[in-house]
Amino acid sequence: MKNPVFKRKIYDTMKEWKNRSNGSTALLIEGARRVGKSTIAEEFAKNEYSDYLIIDFSIAHREILDTFDFVYDLNQFFLRLSTIMGRKLPERKSVIIFDEVQLYPKARQAIKHLVADGRYDYIETGSLISIKKNIKDIVIPSEEHRVPMYPMDYEEFLWAIGKPETFEFIRGLYSTLTPAGDSMHRALMRDFRLYILVGGMPQAVATYLRTTDFADVDRVKREIIGLYNDDFRKIDITGRAATIFSSIPAQLSRNTLNYKVGNVIKDARPSRMGELFADINDSRTVNFAYQANDPSIGMGLRADLDNFKMYMADTGLFVTLTFMDRDFTDNEIYRKLLSDKLSADLGYLYENVVAQLLKSAGHSLFYYTFKECLDGERAHTYEIDFLISRRDKICPIEVKSSGYKTHKSLDEFQRKFSSRVLSRYLIYTKDLHKEGDIICLPVYMTGLL
């Protein structure tokens, strides 16, 4: 059974590219495997063009590949292509999709000449990590407009499960800083916990909608994790990348101030593994958050690249990876998580989903730690989970997995950097509440920040 085509926000970005570019650039959609790149490219082609052609380089036969030897003569190239495909596309009304373009670098190099020719529009899809690894001996086309694609955010998930009005309701509450009320808040949190469990990978969402069986969903997610591990082993035969990826839940659960590489790989140091971590970052399967040395505008210029945290790009996959010690994640675990009755401390789970939603909303991820010695006491380490920029100020964010008791880190940060702070946020599992200038937001509002 073919999976449904879900509404995705990147579609509007693609429409903007088509209207603005008018054939002057190719669109490159890059992201992790199974986030829906190929599906959205074909859906866009069906709806926005008179005709389209897909060349899937994961299955393209030799005759198609050999056609790219004739790019020096584009009349010959298109004649051969139309002969092989059995049809000719109407010019300036059609798009050609290069699916999994990283698998055939010669096709990507041809983009420069194809775009200049102007007969058709072009959309490429691929994994950035593979794209970067397969560029030896080719000229990288400057005529590419790149857009990242992430797993479904919470609003897209609600669209998928048939509750579009729910996020509009949440948006209204956020814009007026109005609490939902006890019973409505509980219902909203239940929906959000469902998002945490299923995640935003389209195949997992489709499986949930088809079977409503968490065991089926979990099997799909395990297959995706297996694909990611296979990819990591291809780029790093030592297995270190796969080990680092698999250790993300364990590292976050220990509530350490950064990812302790030496605890995962003996005697390893981030400074000596820069290329490997760059490859992991390029895979889009993880979200890196870097220690900000100076919490102000332009944090990326002064980030400590040797001190970072890693989050899974999809929290649904994070849940499955957390329980990979079993043959399959028992439905009872899912039921308890859904009803918020699992006894384990799930602070790291909420921290991961906040990182995911901030990233998909367009924020770079930074955190900040600092020590303060007050009233002659021993120095205490404070941590701001996330810092985001807004206008010429910054907004510190603290994440709690339950009802909050204190927000000491936010208070000390305000005392230290008051002139730089625009707003302070505490993201937690309770209803919206204001405490002085601190806005306590329910976690389902994260994507609106």
Side-chain angles (χ1 to χ4, degrees):
M1 182 183 296
K2 189 174 181 180
N3 286 330
V5 177
F6 296 115
K7 180 182 177 182
R8 304 297 299 272
K9 293 179 180 178
I10 196 175
Y11 194 100
D12 289 337
T13 303
M14 297 169 72
K15 287 184 72 173
E16 290 174 8
W17 159 78
K18 181 178 184 290
N19 295 332
R20 184 181 64 254
S21 171
N22 194 29
S24 63
T25 61
L27 181 69
L28 173 59
I29 305 172
E30 54 91 0
R33 293 179 70 178
R34 301 291 180 90
V35 295
K37 302 184 298 295
S38 303
T39 300
I40 199 66
E42 183 172 5
E43 184 70 6
F44 185 79
K46 286 179 180 178
N47 296 339
E48 306 298 331
Y49 292 88
S50 298
D51 203 354
Y52 68 96
L53 177 66
I54 298 177
I55 301 177
D56 184 348
F57 290 103
S58 69
I59 58 174
H61 54 77
R62 190 71 248 172
E63 196 175 12
I64 289 287
L65 302 182
D66 289 344
T67 303
F68 288 89
D69 292 334
F70 295 88
V71 171
Y72 66 89
D73 182 348
L74 288 176
N75 289 327
Q76 182 72 225
F77 172 82
F78 287 118
L79 177 62
R80 287 174 175 269
L81 189 61
S82 61
T83 301
I84 294 169
M85 304 305 295
R87 59 196 175 93
K88 187 178 187 298
L89 301 175
E91 295 182 9
R92 290 309 316 141
K93 296 180 180 180
S94 306
V95 63
I96 298 177
I97 299 171
F98 287 175
D99 199 18
E100 304 292 354
V101 69
Q102 77 277 3
L103 299 177
Y104 198 62
K106 188 182 290 187
R108 187 173 178 226
Q109 181 173 254
I111 285 293
K112 176 181 178 66
H113 308 288
L114 294 172
V115 167
D117 174 72
R119 295 182 216 192
Y120 308 108
D121 283 359
Y122 298 90
I123 297 175
E124 306 166 89
T125 75
S127 163
L128 181 61
I129 185 171
S130 298
I131 287 173
K132 290 180 69 174
K133 290 294 181 182
N134 291 313
I135 58 175
K136 184 180 179 182
D137 301 325
I138 74 165
V139 177
I140 304 302
S142 59
E143 295 78 9
E144 286 177 341
H145 176 68
R146 299 185 182 186
V147 293
M149 188 170 186
Y150 301 104
M152 291 181 182
D153 66 15
Y154 186 44
E155 185 174 13
E156 290 173 323
F157 178 79
L158 288 172
W159 292 342
I161 65 172
K163 294 186 174 183
E165 70 287 345
T166 297
F167 204 83
E168 288 308 309
F169 178 70
I170 292 172
R171 196 190 308 276
L173 296 177
Y174 175 82
S175 65
T176 58
L177 294 182
T178 303
D182 288 346
S183 60
M184 180 58 70
H185 172 72
R186 285 194 297 270
L188 293 174
M189 278 302 303
R190 186 176 176 84
D191 282 343
F192 189 77
R193 287 194 295 270
L194 177 62
Y195 171 64
I196 289 176
L197 294 172
V198 175
M201 303 303 285
Q203 190 178 358
V205 176
T207 300
Y208 171 76
L209 291 174
R210 186 172 64 252
T211 72
T212 64
D213 188 327
F214 285 131
D216 290 339
V217 174
D218 193 69
R219 279 190 285 270
V220 168
K221 292 190 291 178
R222 285 172 182 264
E223 290 172 4
I224 296 172
I225 290 172
L227 287 174
Y228 289 174
N229 279 320
D230 288 344
D231 287 345
F232 282 132
R233 292 186 184 99
K234 288 175 185 176
I235 65 160
D236 175 46
I237 60 174
T238 69
R240 293 176 303 170
T243 299
I244 289 169
F245 173 76
S246 299
S247 300
I248 291 174
Q251 287 283 305
L252 288 177
S253 68
R254 294 184 182 122
N255 200 30
T256 56
L257 297 180
N258 52 43
Y259 190 103
K260 302 293 185 184
V261 182
N263 292 344
V264 177
I265 299 172
K266 186 177 180 181
D267 299 327
R269 297 180 182 178
S271 58
R272 297 177 181 175
M273 302 174 66
E275 183 176 353
L276 183 63
F277 282 115
D279 287 341
I280 295 172
N281 192 27
D282 287 341
S283 73
R284 302 295 193 201
T285 62
V286 302
N287 291 322
F288 277 72
Y290 293 99
Q291 164 79 33
N293 285 332
D294 182 18
S296 59
I297 294 299
M299 286 179 285
L301 299 174
R302 296 175 292 277
D304 184 349
L305 300 183
D306 287 339
N307 284 290
F308 54 82
K309 292 184 178 183
M310 274 194 288
Y311 301 95
M312 296 277 290
D314 180 71
T315 305
L317 295 182
F318 183 91
V319 171
T320 294
L321 190 60
T322 300
F323 297 107
M324 284 290 277
D325 57 330
R326 302 188 179 197
D327 290 338
F328 65 91
T329 302
D330 190 272
N331 268 339
E332 184 64 22
I333 293 174
Y334 277 91
R335 281 193 291 269
K336 287 185 176 180
L337 277 169
L338 189 60
S339 60
D340 203 22
K341 293 181 179 178
L342 196 65
S343 59
D345 179 10
L346 296 179
Y348 58 94
L349 189 62
Y350 284 97
E351 193 176 332
N352 195 94
V353 77
V354 168
Q356 177 182 345
L357 295 178
L358 289 176
K359 186 71 174 180
S360 61
H363 297 289
S364 297
L365 301 181
F366 299 96
Y367 66 99
Y368 185 66
T369 61
F370 59 103
K371 291 184 177 181
E372 290 293 326
C373 185
L374 302 175
D375 301 325
E377 298 179 359
R378 187 173 61 181
H380 181 77
T381 299
Y382 296 97
E383 179 179 10
I384 299 298
D385 293 313
F386 298 102
L387 289 167
I388 60 174
S389 301
R390 189 174 292 164
R391 300 199 295 271
D392 61 342
K393 300 285 186 177
I394 56 173
C395 301
I397 298 171
E398 190 171 348
V399 181
K400 300 282 188 180
S401 61
S402 60
Y404 75 100
K405 293 182 179 179
T406 62
H407 35 75
K408 190 68 173 175
S409 292
L410 286 177
D411 294 338
E412 290 304 316
F413 187 87
Q414 174 73 6
R415 186 182 63 82
K416 191 176 180 69
F417 299 108
S418 59
S419 63
R420 306 181 186 184
V421 174
L422 178 64
S423 302
R424 294 188 288 165
Y425 295 98
L426 189 146
I427 297 178
Y428 68 156
T429 60
K430 300 299 182 181
D431 202 355
L432 191 147
H433 172 71
K434 284 196 70 176
E435 186 171 304
D437 67 330
I438 295 178
I439 303 172
C440 303
L441 284 181
V443 64
Y444 49 75
M445 291 186 180
T446 302
L448 295 169
L449 286 174

